[in-house]
Amino acid sequence: MRGFVVALLVAALVPAFASAAPGPFHLKLGGPAPRATTEKDLRAFLDELEAQQFMIYEALSLEEYYQWKGDEPQFVTPYTRFANDLSNRTDYAAIIEKWRGHVRDTTLARRLDMHHLYFLQSRADPALVLQLGDAQSQLQDTVSAFRFQLDGQRKTQTEITEILTNEKDRAKRQNAYLALQQADTKYRKSISSAMHLYDRIGRSEGFKNGAEAGLVQTSLERAQALKDIEDFERQTRPIMQSIVDRAKVDLKLDRVEPWDLDYWLRQQELAGGDDAWPREPGLARMKALVKDIGFQPDSLPIDARIWDVPTGGITFPVRPPYESRLLSNPFTGSQFYSTLFHEYGHCLNAVLTDKDLPAVFLTGDQTPMSEGLAECLGFFAYDHHWLERAAKVPPGRSVALERAGKMGQFVWLRRSICLNAWFELTAYGNLHVNMDSLYAVAYKRFTLVDLPPGHFWGYRDMLATGPIYYQSYLYADLIAAQLLESMQKQFGVEDLSKEPQVAGWLTRYFFAPGGSVPWPEKVRRATGKPLGTEALSRYFADLMPGKS
């Protein structure tokens, strides 16, 4: 999520296009807005505006790619300021609002709806928005450069995660987990400041708080998102409790601590005595999978690299549909594969967009759908049919591995996604609350494990660098489960991992239309019904106690 965008105020409108010199209309960079008196005028204005927006999108995608790779120098901060200057044009916003709801052409109407969201920032104080953009860029630089100090050594976030996942010595795992407080100490002041800025900007846009302002960009509302998160927590609590109870017994513990869960989950993957998700063949296995489901990876303009980044992975749709790049973290086990496949799903979404769409549609879907399409690929990482072929394991072993992978996905969804989404959305109701206490309550509620005394919430830098994003992953899993189940029914097959119709179906209903169709409507058209919770409930049903 790129945050808010802002611009200089422009005082007056200029004459209509008809008074300009003959020839194609040209929207001068930084110049005054035109007066659009016809739909033809409006379309010409939007064509030029979207070309400028897309130029910024492409340039900023590249600079952010360099930033995440750690390349210097990069120009994310000045490019973000430039984007802000365009997006807060109050005179451009006035044209959008004048025409929105008053055009006959449905494509033009959709473009206006998207620009309405794009220019909401124009209601805010430009100084605040520029301040927030600068703060986000600076924090991302800090996160990329930050190293934990552990036992006299400098460790990356990935290396800390690997200790929590693989280290047999429980005391060492505990020390690694407690080291997360170092990031909290480093980031929390910046994160708190950014959250307050985000909230002030959202309120100035006319929303109750920053969370409401952020969610409108995804076609969601705060009350509904909180309800969906809380419903998922309540309905899946028996599964989480059974996982904690099993970990306690298997690891012979008096009580489970936060530094035990990842290690126990990894032991479930290794229970057969070998590693079904070795790191080295990851890229090759991914390409083989996407070929089996009908894509042509060798002819697609996707640059996939394994890179130590301070998150699971990240995709940069540099120039849809002509180029996309991904960086995927070198984790261990199913997490590495599911992240790699997920990020490749983002890339497919970008490079298979219809190139003839207006530029505003080339930047893709709102985040729930964008992440949901990526998760469609991510779920294949522990599909038992695929594991039988890729890892060459017998059916009994593949089913056990699928269950282990699902447990990892499930714990991630509760502990990393729902926990942090609930914490963030709740915090925006009162940003003066004691954040450490609120985070401890959230941690206990969603993991059923106590957070140790200390300060941890501030190590979640995405609260500032990608505000109001976490809940998108819950909806993403709802979307992925419903799409995969629908494909199974429509194709009449159980094993989608070798079904070549998958590529055409996803491209036709989702990738090709880009942002031209609202994401809830995409789901309805493809599956025949609105997005619901039933498919994801069925997906995790075999994790319920007594189903092993």
Coordinates of all heavy atoms in Angstrom, one line a residue, residues 148 150 160-161 163-164 170-182 257-262 415 419 439 443 447 449-453 455-457 459-460:
F148 N 19.5 -7.5 14.3 CA 19.4 -7.8 15.7 C 20.7 -8.2 16.2 O 21.6 -8.7 15.5 CB 18.4 -9.0 15.8 CG 17.0 -8.7 15.4 CD1 16.6 -8.9 14.1 CD2 16.1 -8.2 16.3 CE1 15.3 -8.6 13.7 CE2 14.8 -8.0 15.9 CZ 14.4 -8.1 14.6
L150 N 22.4 -10.7 18.7 CA 22.1 -11.9 19.4 C 23.3 -12.7 19.7 O 24.0 -13.1 18.7 CB 21.1 -12.8 18.6 CG 20.5 -14.0 19.3 CD1 19.7 -13.7 20.5 CD2 19.7 -14.9 18.3
I160 N 16.6 -14.7 12.5 CA 15.8 -14.8 13.7 C 14.7 -15.8 13.5 O 14.5 -16.7 14.4 CB 15.3 -13.5 14.2 CG1 16.4 -12.5 14.6 CG2 14.3 -13.7 15.4 CD1 17.1 -12.9 15.9
T161 N 14.0 -15.7 12.4 CA 12.9 -16.6 12.1 C 13.4 -18.1 12.0 O 12.8 -19.0 12.4 CB 12.2 -16.2 10.8 OG1 11.7 -14.9 10.9 CG2 11.1 -17.2 10.5
I163 N 16.0 -19.4 13.5 CA 16.3 -19.9 14.8 C 15.0 -20.4 15.5 O 14.9 -21.5 16.1 CB 17.0 -18.8 15.7 CG1 18.4 -18.5 15.1 CG2 17.1 -19.3 17.2 CD1 19.0 -17.3 15.8
L164 N 13.9 -19.6 15.4 CA 12.7 -19.9 16.0 C 12.1 -21.2 15.4 O 11.3 -21.9 16.0 CB 11.7 -18.8 15.9 CG 12.0 -17.5 16.7 CD1 11.1 -16.4 16.3 CD2 11.9 -17.8 18.2
R170 N 15.9 -24.8 23.4 CA 14.7 -23.9 23.7 C 15.2 -22.6 24.2 O 14.6 -21.5 24.0 CB 13.8 -24.6 24.7 CG 12.5 -23.9 24.9 CD 11.6 -24.6 25.9 NE 10.2 -24.0 25.9 CZ 9.5 -23.9 27.0 NH1 10.0 -24.3 28.2 NH2 8.3 -23.4 26.9
A171 N 16.3 -22.6 25.0 CA 16.8 -21.3 25.6 C 17.2 -20.4 24.5 O 17.1 -19.2 24.5 CB 17.9 -21.6 26.5
K172 N 17.8 -21.0 23.4 CA 18.3 -20.1 22.3 C 17.1 -19.6 21.5 O 17.1 -18.5 21.0 CB 19.2 -20.9 21.4 CG 20.5 -21.3 22.0 CD 21.4 -22.0 21.0 CE 22.8 -22.3 21.6 NZ 23.7 -23.1 20.7
R173 N 16.0 -20.4 21.4 CA 14.8 -19.9 20.8 C 14.2 -18.8 21.6 O 13.7 -17.8 21.0 CB 13.8 -21.0 20.6 CG 14.2 -22.2 19.7 CD 13.0 -23.0 19.2 NE 12.1 -23.4 20.2 CZ 12.2 -24.6 20.8 NH1 13.2 -25.4 20.6 NH2 11.3 -24.9 21.7
Q174 N 14.2 -18.9 22.9 CA 13.7 -17.9 23.7 C 14.4 -16.6 23.6 O 13.8 -15.5 23.4 CB 13.7 -18.3 25.2 CG 13.2 -17.2 26.2 CD 13.2 -17.7 27.6 OE1 13.7 -18.8 27.9 NE2 12.8 -16.9 28.5
N175 N 15.7 -16.7 23.5 CA 16.6 -15.5 23.4 C 16.3 -14.8 22.0 O 16.3 -13.6 21.9 CB 18.0 -15.8 23.5 CG 18.5 -16.1 24.9 OD1 17.8 -15.8 25.9 ND2 19.6 -16.9 25.1
A176 N 16.1 -15.6 21.0 CA 15.8 -15.1 19.7 C 14.5 -14.3 19.7 O 14.3 -13.3 19.1 CB 15.8 -16.2 18.6
Y177 N 13.5 -14.9 20.4 CA 12.2 -14.3 20.4 C 12.2 -13.0 21.2 O 11.7 -11.9 20.8 CB 11.1 -15.2 21.0 CG 9.7 -14.6 20.9 CD1 9.0 -14.9 19.7 CD2 9.1 -13.8 21.8 CE1 7.7 -14.4 19.5 CE2 7.9 -13.3 21.6 CZ 7.2 -13.6 20.5 OH 5.9 -13.0 20.3
L178 N 12.9 -13.0 22.3 CA 13.0 -11.8 23.1 C 13.8 -10.7 22.4 O 13.6 -9.5 22.7 CB 13.7 -12.1 24.5 CG 12.9 -13.1 25.4 CD1 13.6 -13.4 26.7 CD2 11.5 -12.5 25.7
A179 N 14.6 -11.1 21.5 CA 15.4 -10.1 20.7 C 14.5 -9.2 19.8 O 14.9 -8.2 19.4 CB 16.5 -10.8 19.9
L180 N 13.3 -9.7 19.6 CA 12.4 -8.9 18.7 C 12.1 -7.6 19.4 O 11.8 -6.6 18.7 CB 11.0 -9.7 18.6 CG 11.1 -11.0 17.8 CD1 9.8 -11.7 17.8 CD2 11.6 -10.8 16.3
Q181 N 12.3 -7.5 20.7 CA 12.1 -6.2 21.4 C 13.1 -5.1 20.9 O 12.8 -3.9 21.0 CB 12.2 -6.4 22.9 CG 11.1 -7.3 23.4 CD 11.3 -7.5 24.9 OE1 10.6 -6.9 25.8 NE2 12.2 -8.5 25.2
Q182 N 14.2 -5.6 20.4 CA 15.2 -4.6 19.8 C 14.6 -3.8 18.7 O 14.8 -2.6 18.5 CB 16.4 -5.3 19.4 CG 17.2 -6.1 20.5 CD 18.3 -6.9 20.0 OE1 18.8 -6.7 18.9 NE2 18.7 -7.9 20.8
E257 N 5.2 -21.6 25.1 CA 5.6 -20.2 25.0 C 5.6 -19.8 23.5 O 5.6 -20.6 22.6 CB 7.0 -20.0 25.6 CG 7.0 -20.4 27.1 CD 6.3 -19.4 28.0 OE1 5.8 -18.4 27.5 OE2 6.4 -19.6 29.2
P258 N 5.7 -18.5 23.2 CA 5.7 -18.0 21.8 C 6.8 -18.6 21.0 O 6.7 -18.7 19.8 CB 5.8 -16.5 21.9 CG 5.2 -16.2 23.2 CD 5.5 -17.3 24.1
W259 N 7.9 -18.9 21.6 CA 9.1 -19.4 20.9 C 9.0 -20.9 20.7 O 10.0 -21.5 20.2 CB 10.4 -19.1 21.6 CG 10.4 -19.3 23.1 CD1 10.6 -20.4 23.8 CD2 10.0 -18.3 24.1 NE1 10.5 -20.3 25.1 CE2 10.1 -19.0 25.4 CE3 9.6 -17.0 24.0 CZ2 9.8 -18.3 26.5 CZ3 9.3 -16.3 25.2 CH2 9.4 -17.0 26.5
D260 N 7.9 -21.6 21.0 CA 7.8 -23.0 20.8 C 7.0 -23.4 19.5 O 7.1 -24.5 19.0 CB 7.1 -23.6 22.0 CG 7.9 -23.5 23.3 OD1 9.2 -23.7 23.2 OD2 7.4 -23.2 24.3
L261 N 6.0 -22.5 19.1 CA 5.1 -22.9 18.1 C 5.7 -23.2 16.7 O 5.4 -24.2 16.1 CB 4.0 -21.9 17.9 CG 3.0 -21.8 19.1 CD1 2.0 -20.6 18.9 CD2 2.2 -23.1 19.1
D262 N 6.6 -22.3 16.3 CA 7.2 -22.5 15.0 C 8.1 -23.7 15.0 O 8.1 -24.5 14.0 CB 8.1 -21.3 14.6 CG 7.2 -20.0 14.3 OD1 6.4 -20.1 13.4 OD2 7.4 -19.0 15.0
R415 N -2.1 -16.0 14.1 CA -1.1 -15.3 14.9 C -0.5 -14.1 14.2 O -0.2 -13.0 14.9 CB 0.1 -16.3 15.2 CG 1.2 -15.7 16.1 CD 2.3 -16.7 16.3 NE 2.9 -17.2 15.0 CZ 3.8 -18.1 14.9 NH1 4.2 -18.7 16.0 NH2 4.3 -18.4 13.7
L419 N -4.4 -11.5 14.4 CA -3.9 -10.9 15.6 C -3.6 -9.4 15.3 O -4.0 -8.5 16.0 CB -2.7 -11.6 16.2 CG -2.1 -11.2 17.5 CD1 -1.2 -12.3 18.1 CD2 -1.2 -9.9 17.5
Y439 N -1.7 -5.1 22.8 CA -1.0 -6.2 22.0 C -1.0 -7.5 22.8 O -1.2 -8.6 22.2 CB 0.4 -5.7 21.6 CG 0.9 -6.6 20.5 CD1 0.5 -6.4 19.2 CD2 1.9 -7.6 20.7 CE1 1.0 -7.2 18.1 CE2 2.4 -8.4 19.7 CZ 1.9 -8.2 18.4 OH 2.4 -8.9 17.4
Y443 N -2.5 -10.9 21.6 CA -1.7 -12.1 21.4 C -2.3 -13.3 22.1 O -2.4 -14.4 21.6 CB -0.3 -11.8 22.0 CG 0.7 -12.8 21.5 CD1 1.5 -12.6 20.3 CD2 0.9 -14.0 22.2 CE1 2.4 -13.5 19.9 CE2 1.8 -15.0 21.7 CZ 2.6 -14.7 20.5 OH 3.5 -15.7 20.1
T447 N -3.5 -16.5 19.9 CA -2.6 -17.6 19.9 C -2.9 -18.6 21.0 O -2.4 -19.7 21.0 CB -1.1 -17.2 20.0 OG1 -0.9 -16.6 21.3 CG2 -0.8 -16.1 19.0
V449 N -1.7 -18.3 23.8 CA -0.4 -18.4 24.5 C -0.2 -17.0 25.1 O -0.5 -16.0 24.4 CB 0.7 -18.8 23.6 CG1 2.1 -18.7 24.2 CG2 0.4 -20.3 23.1
D450 N 0.4 -16.9 26.3 CA 0.7 -15.6 26.9 C 2.0 -15.0 26.2 O 3.0 -15.7 26.0 CB 1.0 -15.8 28.4 CG -0.3 -16.1 29.1 OD1 -1.3 -15.4 28.9 OD2 -0.3 -17.0 30.0
L451 N 1.9 -13.7 26.0 CA 3.1 -13.0 25.5 C 3.9 -12.7 26.8 O 3.4 -12.3 27.8 CB 2.7 -11.7 24.9 CG 3.7 -10.9 24.1 CD1 4.1 -11.6 22.9 CD2 3.1 -9.5 23.7
P452 N 5.2 -12.9 26.7 CA 6.1 -12.6 27.9 C 6.1 -11.1 28.2 O 5.8 -10.3 27.4 CB 7.5 -13.1 27.5 CG 7.5 -13.0 26.0 CD 6.1 -13.4 25.6
P453 N 6.4 -10.8 29.5 CA 6.5 -9.3 29.8 C 7.5 -8.7 28.9 O 8.5 -9.2 28.6 CB 6.9 -9.3 31.3 CG 6.5 -10.7 31.8 CD 6.6 -11.6 30.6
H455 N 8.0 -5.5 25.5 CA 7.4 -4.6 24.5 C 7.7 -5.2 23.2 O 8.8 -5.3 22.7 CB 8.0 -3.2 24.7 CG 9.5 -3.2 24.8 ND1 10.3 -2.9 23.7 CD2 10.3 -3.4 25.8 CE1 11.6 -3.0 24.0 NE2 11.6 -3.2 25.3
F456 N 6.6 -5.6 22.5 CA 6.8 -6.3 21.2 C 6.0 -5.7 20.0 O 6.4 -5.9 18.9 CB 6.3 -7.7 21.4 CG 7.1 -8.6 22.3 CD1 6.9 -8.6 23.7 CD2 8.2 -9.3 21.8 CE1 7.6 -9.4 24.5 CE2 9.0 -10.0 22.7 CZ 8.7 -10.1 24.0
W457 N 4.9 -4.9 20.2 CA 4.1 -4.5 19.1 C 4.8 -3.7 18.1 O 4.6 -3.8 16.9 CB 2.9 -3.8 19.6 CG 3.1 -2.4 20.1 CD1 3.5 -2.0 21.3 CD2 3.1 -1.2 19.3 NE1 3.7 -0.6 21.4 CE2 3.5 -0.1 20.1 CE3 2.9 -0.9 18.0 CZ2 3.5 1.2 19.7 CZ3 2.9 0.4 17.5 CH2 3.3 1.4 18.4
Y459 N 7.7 -4.0 16.7 CA 8.5 -4.6 15.7 C 7.7 -4.9 14.4 O 8.3 -5.3 13.4 CB 9.2 -5.9 16.3 CG 8.5 -7.2 16.1 CD1 8.7 -8.0 15.0 CD2 7.6 -7.7 17.1 CE1 8.0 -9.2 14.9 CE2 6.9 -8.9 17.0 CZ 7.2 -9.6 15.8 OH 6.5 -10.8 15.7
R460 N 6.4 -4.7 14.5 CA 5.6 -4.9 13.3 C 5.6 -3.6 12.5 O 4.7 -2.8 12.6 CB 4.2 -5.3 13.7 CG 4.1 -6.6 14.4 CD 4.3 -7.8 13.4 NE 4.0 -9.1 14.0 CZ 4.1 -10.2 13.3 NH1 4.4 -10.2 12.1 NH2 3.8 -11.4 13.9

